[in-house]
Amino acid sequence: MIKAVIFDLFGTLVDAPLKTDYWEFLRAVAEVLKVSPEKMTSVWNDSTERRNDGRDGNFAAYVHYLCEDLGVRHPSHVVGKTFSLRADLTSKWMIPRDDATKTLEYLKERNLKIGLISDASYDVPVLWEDNPLKKYFSSTIFSCSVQLKKPDPRIFQLACDELDVKPSECLYVGDGGSMELTGAEKVGMHPIRMSVAGEADSDLHRIEVDNWQGKTISTLSDLIDIIKVR
């Protein structure tokens, strides 16, 4: 019996991040730090795992690392300006899909518990506090906050513990990045891939993608029909 639905964030509840937005952000940060966009892009990309696994503890400490790696000074205004640019970008990316509220409302009406697991950097938990979807979730887990990333089985189990359900009682819905679907399946969840036409080519966050052959949906609303027959 399904008692909970756990979602990925980017490319699932919200649209997949666009590469064009990302390059504009990196050019703006490069200007703040007075380095070339090419150098900025290389160092930022190389430190993606560092941002997502939370090893620096907070965004300010990460920017300090970034400046050291770039070989630039770390003036006081850099942290605030860099975070502001990043927050503007992430806010643009965190707008819910058109059918997200409808789908989450349905799950609530069916008394299903709702959770979130996202590989995310320090800006995402901050911005999530004001996101209109937050009120539907009984558990929200961000990799940078718990220092665990998908597909580590511990991050899936942590969500189950917070929702007080067994993995076998959970649907997991995600776009398949970070091997999340096979990771969820290995702990006993029932994964469903979210696949929206055209997003895979533009999505810069979809790395280590599952070769998923199982159940797939193209809209969040499709999940309603799946729940109805369970």
Side-chain angles (χ1 to χ4, degrees), residues 34-134:
K34 302 187 186 311
V35 297
S36 71
E38 293 77 17
K39 188 174 183 180
M40 181 71 236
T41 298
S42 176
V43 173
W44 186 274
N45 285 346
D46 287 346
S47 57
T48 297
E49 185 169 350
R50 186 182 193 99
R51 289 191 304 278
N52 288 350
D53 68 19
R55 72 185 73 174
D56 292 305
N58 56 58
F59 191 81
Y62 168 72
V63 172
H64 182 73
Y65 159 82
L66 187 68
C67 289
E68 286 190 341
D69 205 22
L70 287 165
V72 301
R73 291 192 314 110
H74 185 248
S76 58
H77 77 280
V78 164
V79 172
K81 183 61 175 176
T82 304
F83 185 82
S84 179
L85 289 168
R86 179 67 179 181
D88 287 347
L89 174 69
T90 305
S91 295
K92 184 177 181 179
W93 286 346
M94 286 178 64
I95 297 172
R97 293 193 191 271
D98 291 342
D99 56 351
T101 297
K102 168 189 171 182
T103 303
L104 295 174
E105 288 278 7
Y106 178 81
L107 299 181
K108 281 292 188 183
E109 289 170 2
R110 295 290 296 262
N111 294 316
L112 292 168
K113 298 178 180 181
I114 305 174
L116 175 74
I117 302 176
S118 177
D119 282 355
S121 59
Y122 304 107
D123 49 306
V124 177
V126 175
L127 297 172
W128 179 253
E129 290 301 309
D130 294 322
N131 192 283
L133 300 183
K134 178 181 181 292

Side-chain angles (χ1 to χ4, degrees), residues 7 11-13 15 97-100 102-103 173 192-197 199 216-226:
F7 292 90
T12 304
L13 290 168
D15 291 345
R97 293 193 191 271
D98 291 342
D99 56 351
K102 168 189 171 182
T103 303
V173 184
I192 299 172
R193 182 168 68 109
M194 179 76 173
S195 180
V196 178
E199 282 197 354
T216 299
I217 58 176
S218 59
T219 71
L220 288 169
S221 298
D222 292 341
L223 190 59
I224 294 175
D225 292 331
I226 291 174

Side-chain angles (χ1 to χ4, degrees), residues 24 51 62 81 90 103 139 148 170-171 174 186 195 206:
E24 289 177 9
R51 289 191 304 278
Y62 168 72
K81 183 61 175 176
T90 305
T103 303
S139 169
L148 294 170
C170 296
L171 294 182
K186 284 179 180 178
S195 180
R206 197 168 296 167

